[in-house]
């Protein structure tokens, strides 16, 4: 019976070759833990947007790691929209024996979320495969019935055509009524063959790829959906249709009751518009917890909870918090709309496939639009650093096109260090440092330091100054209130280091802390992935940013400067590094600047960034040489 189902499935796709005859791969497999022999998907779309999807795959496991990774197949689905059936589940052993999965090893359970919380309508279909050994092949055939499409009457679909394992062949077939127009696109570097076949009142689209090497990830690469070969398909004609649909879905939830009206009056009375906006943002951001809610009811996972319920519960997910904030802003007379976005990866703008996974707020002031994310907590900024250059869809009655959040100037994400330092004649060094932040660095510091016990904060900065000198000791530490959003975060610390300079006869040698990254935690955090000599993918940064250091060092009377570290000026357009020293009497001033004004570093520009970081590292070894007399 299982073999018959498999053959009937391939026949429905129009494929002549049986899964009993897997295609061999034509390239080396030294790095592969598993091989996808075939992966076939057939979707049958009804006129009302309902659909039935069959997926059939067979994967060979070649190592212990692959056995661990493929021991279970987990299919996550929302029972409010779909029903998933396992038609075939079995293991082909190397000796030719076929072992069917015992029905007791096919579980259908609620998916855990956030520990003690459960999403009651979101379920996992878990299949556990028996007797897996190296060289065995697992085979699965599932049927998914979509009885409630997210947008009524429309079909929406996306899938990957590439894997972190080699793929011998993969097919996708979508059959839909002849009168329905399918908008589709394939993206990525793989050649995807497409054919379109008319039927009895239907049209069948088939996409095929073959002999696809594995996609091996690397640190700092763009997100998987941006680099892997993908198929995007939908009957939705444009973004304006999504905009009006979501406005009609969310609109009824955004009604101010007496409790919302009273709260808005309390927060905004007597304040100008900009302050009203910030007060409402701070309230929803920090007073409404981000907690997943029950995925129940029609359009669960898409439709926000009623704003009054979210306020009463004091929790919700992104769509709930966004709907509450829009309701409060409108009550204050500030024009705003709920807005869909994807902060995780860049949406493909050419085709209106649902690629959203987040909801924020668009605030209008005439033609100007400000985007605000009320799920970003403990920050002065309206958006997080990783929400730059992201597709956003403002949802209103008239329908809006897809737009993009701006790329921020590097100065908007600033880490500033100012230091007054003193070098004694007995080689001791004393420094008073002030660190201020803006944008993403401000968000990082607030979230990291808020709630941290004083002793733990002290230990943190003790470790930081150890990057300046092994003998450095923290003398004092002052940190502004992370929950005071009226001012930027400010840290003041004092430290001393014994035996800091080197005496060589009449010469005194030392390093200025500000010339290096000793007090700069931000650069290493935001430039992850730059330790690779060469890259196979472009480098994706979380945010633009700038580091500014201004340090004055007073040295002992009776000494004069013999030599200073070299002046540095590297400017590659998208990233810049500069350092300069100036002198007046027995006072040195060191200024260091690092600017990164891009989110995407191409492989062609990566060598320039490497050269800049190599020079930055060398700058930390530069010595000031003083001579007595």
């Amino acid at each position: 019976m299982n073999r018959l189902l498999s053959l009937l499935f391939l026949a429905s796709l129009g494929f002549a070759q049986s899964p009993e005859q897997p295609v061999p791969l034509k390239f080396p497999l030294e790095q592969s833990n598993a091989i996808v022999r075939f992966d076939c998907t057939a979707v049958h779309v009804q006129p009302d947007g309902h659909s039935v999807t069959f997926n059939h795959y067979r994967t060979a496991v070649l190592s212990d790691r692959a056995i661990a990774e493929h021991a279970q197949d987990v299919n996550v689905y929302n029972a409010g929209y779909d029903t998933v059936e396992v038609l075939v589940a079995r293991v082909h052993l190397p000796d030719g024996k076929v072992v069917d999965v015992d029905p007791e090893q096919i579980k259908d359970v609620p998916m855990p979320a956030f520990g003690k919380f459960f999403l009651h309508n979101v379920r996992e279909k878990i299949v556990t495969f028996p007797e897996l050994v190296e060289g065995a092949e697992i085979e699965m055939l599932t049927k998914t019935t979509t009885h409630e499409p997210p947008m009524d009457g429309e079909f929406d679909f996306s899938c990957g055509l590439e894997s972190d394992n080699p793929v011998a062949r993969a097919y996708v077939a979508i059959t839909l009524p002849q009168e329905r127009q399918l908008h589709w696109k394939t993206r990525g570097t793989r050649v995807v063959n497409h054919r379109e076949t008319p039927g009895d009142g239907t049209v069948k689209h088939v996409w095929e790829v073959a002999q696809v090497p594995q996609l091996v990830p690397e640190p700092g690469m763009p997100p998987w959906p941006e680099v892997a070969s993908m198929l995007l398909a939908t009957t939705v004609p444009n973004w304006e249709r999504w905009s009006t649909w979501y406005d009609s879905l969310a609109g009824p939830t955004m009604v101010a009751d007496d409790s919302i009206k009273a709260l808005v009056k309390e927060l905004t009375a007597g304040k100008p518009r900009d302050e009203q906006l910030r007060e409402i943002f701070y309230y929803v951001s920090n007073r409404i917890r981000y907690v997943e809610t029950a995925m129940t009811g029609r359009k669960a996972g898409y439709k926000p909870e009623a704003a009054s319920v979210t306020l009463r519960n004091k929790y919700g997910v992104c769509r709930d918090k966004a709907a509450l904030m829009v309701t409060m802003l409108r009550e204050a007379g500030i024009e705003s709309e709920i807005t869909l976005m994807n902060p995780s990866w860049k949406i493909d703008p050419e085709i209106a496939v649902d690629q959203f996974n987040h909801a924020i707020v668009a605030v209008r002031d005439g033609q100007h639009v400000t985007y605000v994310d009320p799920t970003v907590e403990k920050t002065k900024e309206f958006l997080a650093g990783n929400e730059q250059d992201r597709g956003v869809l403002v949802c209103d009655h008239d329908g809006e096109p897809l737009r993009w959040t701006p790329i921020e100037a590097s100065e908007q994400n600033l880490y500033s260090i100012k230091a007054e330092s003193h070098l004694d004649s007995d080689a001791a060094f004393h420094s008073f440092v002030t660190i201020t932040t803006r944008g993403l660095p401000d968000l990082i510091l607030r979230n990291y330091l808020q709630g941290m016990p004083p002793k733990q904060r002290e230990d943190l900065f003790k470790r930081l100054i150890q990057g300046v000198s092994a003998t450095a000791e923290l003398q004092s530490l002052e940190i502004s209130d992370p929950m005071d959003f009226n001012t930027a975060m400010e840290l003041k610390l004092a430290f001393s280091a014994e035996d800091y300079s080197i005496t060589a006869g009449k010469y005194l040698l030392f390093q200025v802390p500000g010339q290096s990254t000793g007090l700069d935690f931000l650069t290493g955090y935001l430039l992850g992935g730059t330790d690779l000599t060469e890259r196979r993918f472009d480098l994706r940064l979380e945010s633009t940013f700038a580091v500014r250091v201004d340090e004055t060092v007073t040295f002992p009377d009776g000494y004069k400067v013999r030599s200073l570290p070299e002046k540095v000026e590297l400017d590659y357009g998208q990233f810049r590094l500069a350092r300069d020293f100036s002198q007046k009497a027995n006072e040195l001033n060191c200024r260091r600047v690092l600017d990164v004004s891009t989110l995407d570093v191409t492989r062609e520009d990566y060598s320039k960034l490497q050269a800049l970081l190599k020079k930055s590292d060398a700058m930390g070894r530069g010595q000031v040489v003083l001579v007595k007399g």
Side-chain angles (χ1 to χ4, degrees), residues 534-547:
E534 296 181 355
R535 296 191 62 86
R536 290 175 283 106
F537 299 97
D538 293 346
L539 176 67
R540 170 67 50 79
L541 303 180
E542 183 176 350
S543 175
T544 58
F545 70 97
V547 177

Side-chain angles (χ1 to χ4, degrees), residues 351-597:
I351 182 168
V353 170
D354 180 10
Q355 302 164 65
F356 304 108
N357 59 8
H358 193 46
I360 61 171
V361 175
V363 181
R364 300 184 192 270
D365 186 3
Q367 296 299 311
H368 179 72
V369 177
T370 300
Y371 299 105
V372 183
D373 185 351
T375 67
V376 183
E377 301 177 357
K378 305 177 185 67
T379 178
K380 289 169 55 65
E381 309 304 321
F382 286 146
L383 290 178
N386 66 332
E387 293 177 317
Q388 301 173 58
D389 197 26
R390 291 294 185 264
V392 285
L393 187 65
V394 178
C395 301
D396 65 16
H397 177 74
D398 297 325
E400 297 282 341
L402 189 72
R403 296 187 173 93
W404 298 87
T405 57
I407 297 177
E408 296 176 343
S410 58
E411 288 287 335
Q412 293 299 111
N413 297 290
L414 178 64
Y415 184 80
S416 174
I417 302 171
K418 293 188 176 181
E420 297 287 337
S421 303
H422 179 77
L423 180 68
D424 292 340
S425 57
D426 62 359
F429 189 84
H430 312 277
S431 188
F432 299 89
V433 181
T434 300
I435 298 173
T436 55
T437 56
R438 182 190 304 150
L440 182 63
D442 189 80
L443 173 62
I444 293 171
L445 274 182
R446 287 181 193 274
N447 279 269
Y448 197 63
L449 296 175
Q450 194 270 333
M452 183 181 288
K455 179 59 178 173
Q456 192 174 351
R457 290 181 178 182
E458 185 177 311
D459 290 342
L460 172 67
F461 286 96
K462 282 181 178 179
R463 292 193 298 271
L464 182 66
I465 64 171
Q466 289 292 307
V468 175
S469 170
T471 64
E473 294 186 1
L474 186 66
Q475 304 297 327
S476 65
L477 174 65
E478 297 178 26
I479 300 176
S480 62
D481 181 3
M483 297 304 292
D484 178 4
F485 302 111
N486 294 314
T487 58
M489 278 293 295
E490 184 177 79
L491 297 85
K492 294 184 177 181
L493 59 93
F495 69 90
S496 298
E498 301 297 325
D499 301 320
Y500 185 78
S501 61
I502 300 173
T503 302
K506 62 180 182 178
Y507 296 101
L508 200 61
L509 292 77
F510 70 98
Q511 296 175 335
V512 177
Q515 73 184 26
S516 67
T517 58
L519 295 173
D520 168 18
F521 77 89
L522 187 69
T523 301
Y525 174 82
L526 290 179
L527 292 181
T530 56
D531 51 345
L532 298 177
T533 304
E534 296 181 355
R535 296 191 62 86
R536 290 175 283 106
F537 299 97
D538 293 346
L539 176 67
R540 170 67 50 79
L541 303 180
E542 183 176 350
S543 175
T544 58
F545 70 97
V547 177
R548 299 279 186 268
V549 182
D550 191 335
E551 181 171 9
T552 299
V553 181
T554 303
F555 56 84
D557 292 333
Y559 283 88
K560 62 182 180 181
V561 174
R562 173 66 181 270
S563 66
L564 294 171
E566 65 173 327
K567 179 179 179 179
V568 174
E569 181 63 55
L570 293 178
D571 192 341
Y572 295 113
Q574 295 179 326
F575 22 86
R576 171 178 174 258
L577 177 68
R579 181 191 64 187
D580 196 11
F581 284 87
S582 61
Q583 179 196 358
K584 184 178 180 181
N586 65 330
E587 186 176 277
L588 289 176
N589 181 256
C590 173
R591 289 186 173 89
R592 176 178 172 270
V593 174
L594 173 64
D595 269 308
V596 177
S597 58

